[in-house]
Amino acid sequence: MFKYSLTFLFSFLLVLQLNAQKNTEPTQNEIAQANTIKESFQEDNVAVEKESYHITFDFNKSDQKVTVFEKINKNLINLDSRADIQAYCFYDGESEIESFTVKYKTNRDADYPVNDEAIKSRDLFHNDARVKYVNLDFPLKGYKYATETVKKYKDIKYFTSLYFNDDFPALEKQIIVEIPDWLDLELKEMNFDGYDIKKTVEPNTKNNSKIYSYTLENVAGMYKDESAPGPSYIYPHILVLAKSYSYGGEQYKIFESTQDLYNWYKSLVNSLENNNTVIKAKVEELTKDAKTDEEKIKNIYYWVQDNIRYIAFEDGIAGFKPDEASNVFKKRYGDCKGMANLTKQMLLEAGFDARLTWIGTKRIAYDYSTPNLSVDNHMICTLMKDNKPVYLDGTEKFNAYGEFADRIQGKQVLIENGDSYILNTVPVSDASENIETYDYKLKIVDDVIFGSVSKKFEGESRSSLLQYLNQLKTDKKEDFLVWYLNKGNSNIGVVDVITSDLSNREIPVNLDYFITIKNAISSFDGTAYIDLDFEKELSGYYFDERKTDYILDYKKHLISTTTLDLPEGYTVSELPKNINASSENFDLSVTFTKQGNSIIYKKDFKIKNAIVKTSDFETWNVFIKNLKALYNEQIILTKS
């Protein structure tokens, strides 16, 4: 009897399981729906039917902080035969995930394990950022899941923005924010132009609040373009500006003004216990033989660049509080905040006026007129010298004193100034300050090209090359230089390399060497075909289906001149045609001329603003197409 009961139970459970699986399988209508959505979002394998963010606020009386609850619901549908994705939610020391659930379309819980891990990156040593996630597999087209996460922010300061675009496209995205009467909060609409975002504002008399609702249909997923502008430039989003709250008949400021933002930053700085005892001896060592103040400053600044390893170290107060200078000095590593604080404290010990400085890199669209923690992502040190600011960024290896990386040029800075602050702007340099100059002087003997080459690197082209060289082991640098100069091409021989002082970041890098190039000439019946270009710069920068501007690391200017002496008894039968293109962001040209018994081949590529905009793509792509054709074209010589 027991045997038959057990068999019946197993059979019953199997039927239940099969029915459950059957109920989750997509219907013909759902498959048709997936096909229709795929027509609009052809590059995506998963879409969201409806996504809603519901934001509410509460007050924690125990620590006098406004808390935020963010409830996110997503209905996901598979657009391909199968797909595997991760559903995830980030949190850190100032937030927590209160619930994370995944359900089938039948509303039954999907038994996927929820993973909880620290965020790992090659740039991050230790931080308080974590992620909860599940690995979802969609076995069939039209298959559906529903996810729900509830995230709590312990302090409204850290709840900074709401974006409409996400990893996957959405047929409908709704953002609902319920603001209680006791909270003064502005929802600042950013990049809304060109989007049909429907907005409503309704009172909720039951809760003494106002409900703001934003709805956008057919929302594309975030672009997958590399080297794209920061998201704050290109996506519609809402900045959450928490200004103040009322409690017990009193009003308390949060970030009502830039002064309030600075006051909070300064409170974190004031809480540091900067005991500079351990750095005194090093400061004395670096300055005792210096003949001028500028030499003292450089010695300190360059020592920090060379001896403190930059690691994005985000810990405590969600990564906004600098580490003590003594800790950074002893550990020999730190994040931008710790390195800035060490630079400041060492300069103070040397008798200079140095101050911490907050800045948003060019990845961020905002300035300090918007008091919000998303306005900046970086910290540097400002030296006040002769009543003028000099910006020192220890994370920029091999930047010379007085030089500023492109990523902070033109950006507004918030400079420490006691109880007040100073707003200023980092100077902007011209692309020609980063110029790379190549000079080839070549001859032909027995179908082999040989000659001398001189290359010169200035500005950020110099510092980036020096940084790369110094990441290599000492015994590998000479090998790397040869590989770098011959581009790994076994047909190109490089010998007798002479360099400038590669330990001196204040002078251009000069590389002089002799070159031999085989298999660059083909000769038939008194006619020679010559491939004269060995670098082929920009050939890989054709922007075909790209949707966003292309951002370069820094402004670039290349001038390459190749002088080829013709072999005796040969004349030029045909030279490639000159090409050029210009816009407000670039000037590009390639020219061929004949002077006496020589061919002069010159490339002049100037990218003026470290950006190629989508509005430039048509002009740019025509030039690159012609450039690639020119690179494949040969110079034809005929024997007299």
Side-chain angles (χ1 to χ4, degrees):
M1 182 70 180
F2 176 75
K3 176 182 177 182
Y4 292 119
S5 299
L6 195 59
T7 302
F8 174 78
L9 178 61
F10 283 152
S11 300
F12 178 71
L13 291 174
L14 181 61
V15 169
L16 284 179
Q17 185 178 11
L18 291 172
N19 285 336
Q21 290 175 347
K22 185 176 180 181
N23 289 337
T24 62
E25 290 182 0
T27 65
Q28 290 301 313
N29 285 339
E30 288 167 339
I31 294 172
Q33 179 190 14
N35 287 331
T36 300
I37 298 172
K38 185 70 173 180
E39 291 176 4
S40 299
F41 304 106
Q42 296 181 14
E43 296 179 4
D44 296 282
N45 57 3
V46 172
V48 182
E49 291 181 90
K50 184 172 182 178
E51 182 174 0
S52 66
Y53 281 59
H54 193 171
I55 314 300
T56 56
F57 304 91
D58 201 354
F59 184 70
N60 189 332
K61 295 180 182 179
S62 62
D63 58 9
Q64 300 273 295
K65 289 181 179 178
V66 178
T67 56
V68 184
F69 293 88
E70 179 183 55
K71 182 179 178 183
I72 305 171
N73 292 91
K74 298 181 183 181
N75 295 324
L76 300 159
I77 180 171
N78 183 28
L79 308 183
D80 288 335
S81 57
R82 70 164 291 113
D84 298 291
I85 68 166
Q86 285 186 342
Y88 59 87
C89 189
F90 296 111
Y91 69 104
D92 54 34
E94 295 299 326
S95 59
E96 57 191 33
I97 310 297
E98 296 207 327
S99 66
F100 192 139
T101 59
V102 181
K103 295 180 181 292
Y104 296 111
K105 67 176 183 179
T106 58
N107 205 36
R108 184 170 59 87
D109 286 341
D111 297 324
Y112 287 102
V114 177
N115 302 284
D116 189 342
E117 296 179 0
I119 296 175
K120 301 179 183 69
S121 167
R122 62 184 177 86
D123 296 321
L124 298 177
F125 177 73
H126 177 270
N127 61 59
D128 61 359
R130 299 187 64 85
V131 61
K132 283 192 176 184
Y133 68 94
V134 295
N135 296 307
L136 295 181
D137 65 279
F138 294 78
L140 298 165
K141 180 181 289 187
Y143 205 86
K144 296 185 177 184
Y145 291 105
T147 67
E148 179 180 285
T149 58
V150 178
K151 180 177 179 179
K152 176 184 177 181
Y153 293 82
K154 301 173 187 177
D155 188 336
I156 196 172
K157 292 185 185 74
Y158 303 101
F159 184 68
T160 58
S161 58
L162 290 159
Y163 279 75
F164 287 89
N165 303 77
D166 210 332
D167 289 343
F168 306 108
L171 299 186
E172 180 181 297
K173 174 76 170 274
Q174 187 175 42
I175 296 175
I176 299 170
V177 185
E178 186 170 353
I179 305 175
D181 291 349
W182 51 265
L183 177 63
D184 183 6
L185 184 143
E186 178 187 354
L187 299 176
K188 189 171 183 178
E189 299 164 4
M190 308 294 292
N191 302 336
F192 272 36
D193 290 347
Y195 294 91
D196 185 19
I197 299 174
K198 296 179 175 59
K199 175 184 174 182
T200 63
V201 183
E202 296 180 353
N204 184 346
T205 54
K206 181 180 177 181
N207 292 340
N208 294 321
S209 63
K210 283 184 179 179
I211 299 175
Y212 293 75
S213 178
Y214 299 85
T215 304
L216 179 60
E217 296 180 348
N218 296 316
V219 189
M222 284 192 167
Y223 304 123
K224 297 176 177 62
D225 295 342
E226 293 183 358
S227 302
S232 56
Y233 288 95
I234 55 180
Y235 299 117
H237 61 283
I238 299 167
L239 270 182
V240 181
L241 304 180
K243 299 181 177 182
S244 64
Y245 65 91
S246 300
Y247 176 69
E250 298 288 332
Q251 187 178 39
Y252 299 89
K253 290 182 178 182
I254 304 174
F255 291 148
E256 201 168 47
S257 65
T258 306
Q259 182 68 53
D260 297 328
L261 180 66
Y262 173 76
N263 290 346
W264 186 72
Y265 283 162
K266 195 67 168 64
S267 71
L268 300 181
V269 172
N270 291 343
S271 69
L272 297 176
E273 297 178 2
N274 281 307
N275 182 347
N276 291 344
T277 304
V278 297
I279 68 174
K280 286 180 182 293
K282 176 56 69 175
V283 171
E284 183 178 348
E285 175 192 328
L286 293 171
T287 57
K288 65 180 180 179
D289 296 327
K291 297 178 175 59
T292 65
D293 283 350
E294 186 169 296
E295 189 178 347
K296 292 178 182 179
I297 295 163
K298 287 179 180 180
N299 289 349
I300 291 171
Y301 180 39
Y302 296 161
W303 184 89
V304 173
Q305 284 187 7
D306 294 343
N307 293 277
I308 304 300
R309 182 184 172 199
Y310 169 69
I311 299 172
F313 183 92
E314 300 175 14
D315 202 5
I317 324 281
F320 289 92
K321 183 179 179 180
D323 195 5
E324 272 85 2
S326 58
N327 290 340
V328 178
F329 180 82
K330 286 185 287 187
K331 294 182 298 187
R332 292 296 198 264
Y333 66 77
D335 69 353
C336 64
K337 301 179 294 295
M339 294 178 77
N341 189 37
L342 175 60
T343 306
K344 170 189 171 180
Q345 297 302 323
M346 292 182 79
L347 288 170
L348 289 177
E349 283 296 320
F352 297 104
D353 182 358
R355 308 168 184 206
L356 292 179
T357 300
W358 295 262
I359 185 171
T361 65
K362 69 178 184 180
R363 183 170 174 76
I364 293 178
Y366 324 121
D367 62 21
Y368 284 100
S369 63
T370 304
N372 179 289
L373 292 184
S374 64
V375 71
D376 49 40
N377 60 348
H378 192 41
M379 182 180 280
I380 60 176
C381 175
T382 297
L383 171 74
M384 302 303 290
K385 190 172 186 296
D386 302 325
N387 294 319
K388 293 181 180 179
V390 179
Y391 305 108
L392 307 175
D393 185 351
T395 70
E396 292 292 343
K397 305 299 184 184
F398 299 100
N399 261 24
Y401 176 74
E403 288 184 350
F404 318 112
D406 187 81
R407 68 183 183 132
I408 66 171
Q409 289 181 24
K411 297 295 293 184
Q412 194 177 52
V413 289
L414 182 74
I415 304 172
E416 233 184 335
N417 192 39
D419 292 335
S420 61
Y421 60 87
I422 297 171
L423 286 178
N424 214 323
T425 304
V426 178
V428 176
S429 65
D430 186 80
S432 293
E433 295 181 37
N434 303 324
I435 194 166
E436 297 179 36
T437 308
Y438 300 171
D439 189 12
Y440 288 83
K441 296 188 183 302
L442 305 175
K443 296 180 179 181
I444 299 174
V445 175
D446 297 330
D447 287 347
V448 174
I449 299 175
F450 72 96
S452 64
V453 184
S454 180
K455 292 187 175 182
K456 184 177 181 180
F457 301 80
E458 302 182 51
E460 289 199 70
S461 70
R462 178 211 67 233
S463 58
S464 62
L465 178 57
L466 287 178
Q467 183 170 349
Y468 194 92
L469 280 173
N470 280 269
Q471 288 173 347
L472 302 171
K473 293 180 180 179
T474 304
D475 59 348
K476 296 291 184 183
K477 289 181 182 178
E478 187 173 332
D479 292 340
F480 168 75
L481 267 179
V482 171
W483 176 88
Y484 175 79
L485 295 172
N486 71 10
K487 304 300 179 186
N489 187 340
S490 60
N491 287 313
I492 301 177
V494 171
V495 295
D496 298 337
V497 180
I498 300 174
T499 72
S500 55
D501 181 0
L502 298 181
S503 66
N504 188 344
R505 75 206 73 204
E506 296 185 346
I507 62 173
V509 169
N510 290 306
L511 304 174
D512 297 293
Y513 55 97
F514 290 95
I515 190 170
T516 303
I517 305 149
K518 300 177 182 178
N519 298 324
I521 301 175
S522 301
S523 297
F524 304 97
D525 298 329
T527 303
Y529 302 87
I530 303 172
D531 182 358
L532 197 55
D533 196 292
F534 322 113
E535 306 278 356
K536 295 181 170 50
E537 298 93 351
L538 298 183
S539 58
Y541 288 81
Y542 187 86
F543 304 127
D544 191 4
E545 297 181 358
R546 188 181 179 89
K547 298 180 177 65
T548 61
D549 299 342
Y550 186 88
I551 306 296
L552 288 83
D553 291 336
Y554 54 88
K555 306 177 189 72
K556 295 179 183 287
H557 192 185
L558 167 71
I559 297 179
S560 173
T561 305
T562 301
T563 303
L564 175 66
D565 292 342
L566 301 180
E568 188 175 348
Y570 280 84
T571 59
V572 178
S573 174
E574 186 175 347
L575 285 176
K577 293 181 180 179
N578 298 339
I579 59 173
N580 64 79
S582 291
S583 81
E584 65 174 342
N585 294 306
F586 54 79
D587 292 316
L588 311 170
S589 69
V590 179
T591 59
F592 291 85
T593 57
K594 186 174 180 302
Q595 293 182 6
N597 202 40
S598 300
I599 296 171
I600 312 295
Y601 168 38
K602 184 173 181 178
K603 291 175 286 188
D604 192 336
F605 299 155
K606 187 174 184 179
I607 304 176
K608 295 179 277 190
N609 301 308
I611 186 173
V612 182
K613 293 187 176 181
T614 53
S615 57
D616 293 324
F617 282 0
E618 184 176 356
T619 300
W620 175 275
N621 284 341
V622 168
F623 179 84
I624 298 299
K625 184 178 179 180
N626 292 334
L627 181 66
K628 291 168 74 174
L630 185 149
Y631 284 156
N632 291 325
E633 194 172 347
Q634 294 177 314
I635 295 173
I636 302 174
L637 305 182
T638 56
K639 199 165 189 177
S640 303

